[in-house]
Amino acid sequence: MDRILNGKEASKKVKERVKKEVEILKEKKIEVCLAVILVGKDKASAIYVKNKQKACEETGIISKTIELDENIKEKELLDIIDNLNKDKKVNGILVQLPLPQQIDEKKVIDRIDDLKDVDCFNVKNIGKLVVGENCFLPCTPAGIIELLEQKKIDIKGKHCVIVGRSNIVGKPLAFLMLQKDATVSICHSKTSNLEFFTKSADILVAAVGKENFITKDMVKKGAIIIDVGINRNKEGKICGDVKFDEVFEVAEFITPVPGGVGPMTIATLLKNTVFAAKIQNKL
Ligand code: NDP
């Protein structure tokens, strides 16, 4: 079991730190508040939002959920964001993705004040991340780094191979890994000879969104395996992108799904929200 990178346990440690910081801010009469916008009735999104609310409650962060009709017009949503940007009592703003088709996601994300963009999705914060001036941490990527660091796994000089190049996982993770002195390869659906890359990985990150995508024969013995994927199998159970049982045999460390990267993503969100409250109050 020692070879399992347990995100539930690691996230508890982060939450304890966050809780202490929230208490210190309360003593200074600062109440930390996260506003979460949920558009429509997507079941998975509703679960994610609930988990975020619960984590806020556990750490003393006020969570304000704004539930909106799936037919909402883009302009109305942008107006709501403008109001939250102006609201001094709101430190962090998060819009749960995906959004309905009539809404331009990029426009919405970039409308969030960059000092309240606790998901670290907007173009200014991504730019800061690329040049190493990041203030907010991209939640899933930074959660992965925290998980590795808590286990004292050295990243420096390692070959980190990331399968998946999304703006929320693959690309920002590549930049964080570079900041930590890893050598990084990013693979995607057009990569030829994917196995060549995955087999050379010291740290292999799967962020694809396909069940059983990474198998034992694609992995080097002793590699560290990070499974970001959240999929549902035929039985309706949550599973990752990695064929866990067989890859576990060869990996040095591996994250489970659920209970691996997911809790770390939320923990980083809480950290970012506290950080937002601090910078907005010039602390
Ligand atoms: P996207 O769908 O945006 O990206 C998937 C990536 O996988 C793309 O870059 C795509 O390549 C690549 N890909 C697809 N098929 C292949 C293939 N056959 N070979 C190589 N690469 C392939 O996904 P996200 O990054 O948003 O999410 C990935 C997974 O992680 C999902 O299951 C999601 O639910 C989960 N997730 C989990 C989080 C957590 O906290 N645990 C947080 C965020 C996401 P291309 O670009 O060429 O299309």
Side-chain angles (χ1 to χ4, degrees):
M1 288 309 266
D2 210 22
R3 293 195 292 121
I4 302 234
L5 293 169
N6 186 332
K8 264 194 187 168
E9 287 305 316
S11 70
K12 273 188 202 160
K13 290 190 187 156
V14 179
K15 283 189 206 161
E16 279 162 22
R17 276 184 252 144
V18 167
K19 200 173 170 185
K20 280 190 192 137
E21 290 205 72
V22 171
E23 280 162 12
I24 292 168
L25 288 170
K26 262 191 196 152
E27 284 165 15
K28 296 184 197 294
K29 309 266 175 276
I30 299 165
E31 296 269 8
V32 184
C33 173
L34 171 68
V36 179
I37 299 177
L38 174 64
V39 183
K41 298 258 176 258
D42 181 74
K43 274 191 191 155
S45 292
I47 293 170
Y48 295 144
V49 168
K50 231 181 180 171
N51 289 340
K52 287 167 190 169
Q53 279 174 324
K54 191 167 159 264
C56 282
E57 278 163 25
E58 283 167 14
T59 50
I61 295 176
I62 298 167
S63 89
K64 180 173 166 167
T65 304
I66 299 152
E67 291 186 36
L68 302 169
D69 189 88
E70 63 187 332
N71 297 314
I72 188 168
K73 294 204 171 74
E74 186 181 276
K75 162 100 179 49
E76 286 174 70
L77 178 54
L78 292 173
D79 287 345
I80 291 169
I81 292 174
D82 287 343
N83 285 332
L84 292 171
N85 283 340
K86 280 184 233 146
D87 188 341
K88 288 208 162 58
K89 287 191 177 146
V90 171
N91 305 110
I93 305 169
L94 178 157
V95 179
Q96 185 64 46
L97 303 179
L99 292 171
Q101 269 184 346
Q102 76 275 15
I103 295 171
D104 180 346
E105 265 182 19
K106 195 180 157 350
K107 213 170 171 182
V108 168
I109 287 166
D110 286 340
R111 192 70 159 240
I112 298 171
D113 184 328
D114 50 313
L115 295 181
K116 294 192 176 186
D117 171 37
V118 286
D119 251 340
C120 194
F121 284 171
N122 89 21
V123 75
K124 279 193 196 165
N125 283 321
I126 292 292
K128 284 183 186 171
L129 172 68
V130 172
V131 293
E133 284 176 17
N134 41 315
C135 55
F136 291 121
L137 298 164
C139 295
T140 302
I144 292 170
I145 303 274
E146 168 86 30
L147 193 54
L148 294 171
E149 290 187 338
Q150 277 197 29
K151 202 75 178 178
K152 308 238 178 311
I153 294 169
D154 205 9
I155 297 170
K156 190 174 174 175
K158 298 267 170 72
H159 184 205
C160 173
V161 176
I162 304 165
V163 191
R165 57 173 164 182
S166 72
N167 289 339
I168 61 169
V169 185
K171 285 185 210 164
L173 178 61
F175 286 106
L176 274 195
M177 284 286 181
L178 276 178
Q179 281 180 19
K180 295 279 172 190
D181 294 327
T183 301
V184 181
S185 300
I186 309 181
C187 303
H188 46 80
S189 68
K190 311 294 184 298
T191 299
S192 6
N193 200 355
L194 180 66
E195 268 189 47
F196 166 80
F197 289 96
T198 58
K199 268 187 170 160
S200 72
D202 302 311
I203 301 174
L204 176 62
V205 181
V208 180
K210 291 183 180 165
E211 183 192 351
N212 294 334
F213 186 80
I214 301 288
T215 51
K216 184 177 165 181
D217 51 330
M218 294 169 80
V219 173
K220 180 169 80 175
K221 194 168 172 13
I224 290 147
I225 310 294
I226 306 292
D227 192 351
V228 180
I230 303 177
N231 311 297
R232 276 198 193 272
N233 66 14
K234 272 189 236 142
E235 291 83 43
K237 275 194 174 166
I238 299 280
C239 64
D241 291 345
V242 176
K243 209 165 182 185
F244 184 90
D245 290 343
E246 61 172 52
V247 175
F248 178 74
E249 289 171 24
V250 288
E252 186 181 0
F253 290 107
I254 184 166
T255 59
V257 178
V261 174
M264 299 307 290
T265 299
I266 297 184
T268 312
L269 171 72
L270 302 174
K271 264 196 333 199
N272 281 345
T273 307
V274 170
F275 188 71
K278 283 188 182 168
I279 47 174
Q280 286 155 28
N281 287 284
K282 311 222 174 337
L283 292 172

